[in-house]
């Protein structure tokens, strides 16, 4: 199944520029509209609520639009030479409706796509479970993260390996995006055959790996110790399980001796607001985490409890830190608990709501603006770092392949957190 890419995703891809990334799993569907989904039940429990349709029917422009559409449909059904695929017609109409709203974060998901989005939001995916970026040296897919519980890990793929072909079709011949689609299109339970240059052999050995696509838990947080006291915590995205995953991994590194922390939300596109709030609740003291406002002035808030993390902290940000990733950084900034290092973030302070339709499909569009603890929106502005550190063009092109010493943003963060 090939999913559509929203205008919002295109903008984020432009910001990422030299390092296009793609997670080979159906959980990528969530990231394709680059949004923080507003999940408060007050707004999402709309099943069988058609009041809005009744109100729209009283609008003259609304009646004219649908009268013309109905007329066009009648002509096609009476005189079109070929058969009409009603399912495809409905999907395309709704997709174009979302695209016509003038909302770069609006999207439409078919029933099949939305079922996968729901699983992804809950932290479950089916795929092979690697995050990759385009490799310019060997013309393949450079694996920069193999998820622990994934089929890729089970079959022995490692960080740093390079996929050069999928089912005997080379990545170089079809291009990076099409190669990703070739993996995504393999059905659950079926095997995909990969040719892999191994990092262990310094890319001199090419092996063939047969990986069966399965369901697995998406890993959104990864950790490692940089020194005896400094823990590096990478937050890839936010789903409903991220808060629990973050707490477990933080508890583990603290038990290992971590007393200082670097949180990396570079290239984090956001995700589920509940996941962001739960993650921040582990760190922040008692107080406001987020406030949301609708077009009607309705406000909702999420607060943190009194338990907090009392330790030196730095947050790494960049131009592809968006939505929930920005909220994470802004909240720690507002509580004056962390130094922000890197470059100004993307600037997305709007929230999207999922509206399930009666056939199992879903419309998504902007319904709220959200605000960090200070109450000031960064929508269209971004979150600015306390210490500006820009990567060179060469560093950007090799972002996911940089060693610690080559990553000047990370080295600045390490120096800062050690000297706090």
């Amino acid at each position: 199944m090939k999913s559509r890419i929203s205008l919002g995703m295109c903008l984020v891809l432009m910001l990422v520029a030299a390092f296009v990334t793609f997670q080979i799993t159906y959980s990528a569907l969530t990231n394709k509209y680059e949004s923080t989904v507003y999940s408060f039940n007050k707004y999402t429990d709309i099943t069988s609520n058609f009041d809005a349709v009744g109100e729209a029917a009283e609008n003259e422009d609304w009646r004219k639009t649908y009268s013309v559409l109905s007329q066009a449909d009648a002509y096609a059904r009476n005189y079109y030479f070929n058969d009409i695929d009603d399912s495809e017609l409905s999907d395309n109409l709704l997709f174009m409706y979302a695209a016509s709203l003038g909302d770069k974060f609006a999207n439409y998901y078919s029933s099949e796509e939305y079922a996968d989005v729901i699983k992804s939001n809950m932290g479950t995916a089916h795929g092979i479970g690697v995050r990759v970026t385009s490799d310019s040296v060997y013309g393949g897919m450079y694996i920069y993260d193999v998820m622990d519980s994934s089929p890729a890990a089970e079959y022995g793929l490692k960080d740093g390996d390079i996929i050069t072909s999928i089912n005997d079709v080379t990545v170089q011949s079809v291009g990076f995006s099409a190669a990703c689609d070739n993996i995504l299109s393999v059905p659950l339970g079926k095997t995909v055959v990969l040719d892999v240059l191994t990092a262990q052999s310094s890319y001199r050995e090419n092996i063939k790996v047969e990986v069966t696509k399965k369901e697995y838990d998406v890993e959104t947080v990864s950790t490692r110790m940089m020194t005896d006291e400094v823990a590096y915590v990478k937050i890839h995205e936010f789903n409903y399980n991220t808060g629990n995953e973050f707490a477990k991994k933080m508890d583990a590194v603290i038990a290992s001796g971590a007393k200082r922390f670097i949180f990396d939300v570079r290239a984090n596109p956001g995700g589920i607001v509940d996941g962001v709030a739960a993650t921040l609740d582990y760190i922040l003291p008692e107080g406001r985490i987020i406030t949301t406002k609708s077009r009607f002035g309705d406000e909702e808030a999420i607060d943190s409890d009194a338990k907090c993390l009392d330790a030196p902290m730095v947050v790494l940000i960049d131009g592809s830190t968006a939505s929930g990733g920005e909220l994470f950084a802004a909240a720690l900034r507002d509580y004056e608990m962390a130094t922000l290092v890197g470059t100004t973030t993307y600037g997305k302070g709007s929230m999207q709501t999922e509206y399930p339709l009666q056939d199992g499909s879903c419309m998504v569009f902007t319904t709220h603006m959200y605000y960090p603890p200070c109450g000031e929106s960064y929508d269209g502005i971004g979150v600015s770092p306390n210490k500006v550190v820009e990567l060179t063009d060469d560093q950007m092109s090799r972002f996911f392949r940089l060693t610690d010493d080559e990553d000047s943003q990370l080295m600045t963060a390490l120096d800062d957190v050690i000297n706090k």
Side-chain angles (χ1 to χ4, degrees), residues 4 7 52-53 56 61-62 65-66 69 89-108 355 357 362-365:
R4 305 178 181 90
L7 294 175
V53 177
D61 290 336
W62 188 92
T65 298
Y66 285 92
L69 180 60
L89 176 66
S90 176
D91 279 348
N92 286 331
L93 282 171
L94 288 165
F95 175 71
M96 289 308 300
Y97 185 96
S100 299
L101 289 176
D103 177 1
K104 64 184 178 182
F105 301 111
N107 214 329
Y108 165 75
Y355 289 98
L357 305 178
C362 177
M363 291 287 292
V364 179
F365 46 82

Side-chain angles (χ1 to χ4, degrees), residues 83-271:
D83 293 333
I84 295 175
D85 185 328
D86 283 303
S87 178
E88 184 174 358
L89 176 66
S90 176
D91 279 348
N92 286 331
L93 282 171
L94 288 165
F95 175 71
M96 289 308 300
Y97 185 96
S100 299
L101 289 176
D103 177 1
K104 64 184 178 182
F105 301 111
N107 214 329
Y108 165 75
Y109 293 103
S110 69
S111 57
E112 294 164 339
E113 290 172 337
Y114 186 47
D116 289 319
V117 168
I118 292 172
K119 286 184 178 180
S120 174
N121 289 346
M122 299 305 296
T124 301
H126 54 83
I128 67 172
V130 297
R131 293 184 173 97
V132 300
T133 186
S134 179
D135 173 73
S136 59
V137 178
Y138 299 96
M141 305 162 118
Y142 180 82
I143 300 173
Y144 65 87
D145 184 40
V146 178
M147 299 186 205
D148 290 342
S149 63
S150 68
E154 179 182 339
Y155 285 87
L157 293 179
K158 304 290 185 183
D159 291 0
D161 288 348
I162 298 173
I163 299 170
T164 57
S165 75
I166 300 99
N167 292 332
D168 296 323
V169 177
T170 66
V171 176
Q172 196 164 29
S173 67
V174 298
F176 179 74
S177 295
C180 291
D181 287 336
N182 287 346
I183 296 179
L184 287 171
S185 63
V186 175
L188 180 67
K190 298 297 183 179
T191 297
V192 58
V193 180
L194 307 174
D195 284 299
V196 180
L197 285 171
T198 65
Q200 186 175 9
S201 70
S202 298
Y203 308 115
R204 290 190 294 269
E205 181 183 5
N206 187 74
I207 63 172
K208 197 173 287 289
V209 182
E210 296 185 8
V211 182
T212 302
K213 291 181 64 173
K214 301 176 183 178
E215 282 200 351
Y216 64 94
D217 294 331
V218 176
E219 184 181 44
T220 60
V221 181
S222 52
T223 61
R224 60 185 173 89
M225 298 298 293
M226 294 191 69
T227 72
D228 290 342
E229 290 191 351
V230 178
Y232 171 83
V233 182
K234 174 66 177 177
I235 308 174
H236 300 278
E237 60 186 276
F238 294 96
N239 61 35
Y240 285 113
N241 292 334
T242 301
N244 288 332
E245 183 183 0
F246 180 83
K248 289 179 181 177
K249 292 188 175 181
M250 285 292 291
D251 289 346
V253 293
I254 290 172
S256 298
K259 297 178 181 178
R260 302 168 186 270
F261 302 89
I262 298 173
F263 300 116
D264 190 348
V265 289
R266 292 175 296 179
N268 182 317

Side-chain angles (χ1 to χ4, degrees), residues 35-40 121 220-221 235-247 265 268-284 288-292 302-304 321-332 348 350-351 370-373 378:
S35 66
T36 299
V37 177
Y38 193 52
S39 60
F40 293 124
N121 289 346
T220 60
V221 181
I235 308 174
H236 300 278
E237 60 186 276
F238 294 96
N239 61 35
Y240 285 113
N241 292 334
T242 301
N244 288 332
E245 183 183 0
F246 180 83
V265 289
N268 182 317
I272 304 298
V273 69
D274 291 358
V276 185
T279 303
L280 284 168
D281 189 30
Y282 184 99
I283 303 172
L284 298 181
R288 185 59 37 88
I289 297 176
I290 179 175
T291 303
T292 67
I302 301 178
D303 294 329
S304 175
T321 302
S323 197
E326 293 175 283
L327 173 61
F328 179 89
L332 290 178
K348 180 184 178 296
S350 64
M351 303 182 72
Y370 67 86
Y371 304 85
Y378 48 78

Side-chain angles (χ1 to χ4, degrees), residues 369-390:
M369 298 298 290
Y370 67 86
Y371 304 85
C374 72
E376 295 182 4
S377 174
Y378 48 78
D379 190 62
I381 302 171
V383 178
S384 299
N386 301 109
K387 293 186 177 182
V388 177
V389 181
E390 296 184 358

